Amino acid sequence: MNTYIQNSLRLLVGTLALGSITAQAESQFSLGGGVISTSSPYAGTNSETLFLPIITYEGERLSFKGFSLDYKLVEQQGFNWSLVLEPGDNFDTSDSDLAAIKALDDRKLSLYAGTQVSYTASFGKISASATHDVIGHGDGAKFKTNYSYPIKLSKQLMLVPSVGVELNSSDVSNYYYGVALGESTTYAPYELGSTVNYNAGLFLMYYINKNWNVNAMVNYKQLDSDIEDSPIIDTDNTTTVMMSVNYRF
């Protein structure tokens, strides 16, 4: 799968999760489309703008957001405990303009399964998840925490700022950002330990009416210094901007 499409889908999952803070309790299905501009940290790549369809379903226990599945095991007084399945990283080396990067092995799509807990109250929403790759691409674990706070600017306009931390195990860090022994004749082998990335975002939702809404999002991710020092990485951050229109049935 194209690097930009897959990474956009992964970020879309998080954006839809922010949107669910303002959703009603009953089962709902929505359909829409979004324009996303996203960057890749790999050397020789540029930002790309894409159009992506957006499909979400929010049931009493099962929810589907983009390419992410969430099944609630416990839901009580603002506390939720769920099983989750969500896409991870990938990198198609042909997306780079550099011959040395093109010669590397592709970093294939990972799929993470695990558990997530969240608590929503007047102070906002805090969540934490622990997941592990289940298809052997990266073959490691991710731990994520996130805090968001919805601010009602008017009857129709909602702003949701958020901050988060993502911990990648050494297996995940090495697979996506390292250089294996014998993999390249240009780059020396590069090995990483576990890495920590930080992100911050703003999500804006405008309700046109009870069915239609327009969303805008910007997300900034600060990469771990060990990722930045990798010879196949040429930046210390990534940025994603999105606008979308959705119809809720």
Side-chain angles (χ1 to χ4, degrees), residues 182-199:
E183 181 183 9
S184 174
T185 57
T186 302
Y187 304 116
Y190 184 79
E191 186 172 345
L192 301 87
S194 58
T195 54
V196 180
N197 300 322
Y198 302 92
N199 64 77

Side-chain angles (χ1 to χ4, degrees), residues 125-200:
K125 178 179 180 179
I126 185 168
S127 64
S129 66
T131 58
H132 196 282
D133 178 45
V134 293
I135 55 177
H137 299 157
D139 199 25
K142 280 182 179 285
F143 303 92
K144 295 189 291 185
T145 61
N146 188 80
Y147 171 73
S148 57
Y149 183 78
I151 303 170
K152 192 171 184 178
L153 300 177
S154 71
K155 185 177 179 180
Q156 294 174 287
L157 190 62
M158 180 77 71
L159 177 67
V160 187
S162 64
V163 292
V165 180
E166 175 189 86
L167 170 64
N168 298 313
S169 70
S170 58
D171 288 332
V172 172
S173 301
N174 274 306
Y175 182 75
Y176 288 105
Y177 306 112
V179 180
L181 182 66
E183 181 183 9
S184 174
T185 57
T186 302
Y187 304 116
Y190 184 79
E191 186 172 345
L192 301 87
S194 58
T195 54
V196 180
N197 300 322
Y198 302 92
N199 64 77

Side-chain angles (χ1 to χ4, degrees), residues 24-135:
Q24 298 175 15
E26 66 267 18
S27 298
Q28 295 185 65
F29 174 75
S30 67
L31 200 60
V35 176
I36 300 180
S37 177
T38 184
S39 61
S40 169
Y42 292 94
T45 60
N46 299 303
S47 297
E48 187 163 321
T49 301
L50 306 163
F51 174 81
L52 294 174
I54 300 172
I55 302 172
T56 67
Y57 170 76
E58 298 174 36
E60 183 178 350
R61 289 192 176 273
L62 180 67
S63 64
F64 173 78
K65 300 169 184 175
F67 275 68
S68 173
L69 283 172
D70 182 298
Y71 184 80
K72 291 184 177 66
L73 298 173
V74 176
E75 184 176 19
Q76 187 174 14
Q77 297 180 339
F79 174 79
N80 286 286
W81 175 33
S82 304
L83 299 178
V84 294
L85 184 68
E86 58 187 21
D89 302 301
N90 90 312
F91 175 54
D92 184 342
T93 56
S94 66
D95 289 334
S96 175
D97 295 330
L98 302 179
I101 298 293
K102 291 179 183 288
L104 298 174
D105 298 331
D106 288 336
R107 274 57 175 167
K108 296 182 180 180
L109 173 67
S110 52
L111 184 65
Y112 290 89
T115 186
Q116 176 177 275
V117 294
S118 66
Y119 184 70
T120 304
S122 59
F123 59 78
K125 178 179 180 179
I126 185 168
S127 64
S129 66
T131 58
H132 196 282
D133 178 45
V134 293
I135 55 177

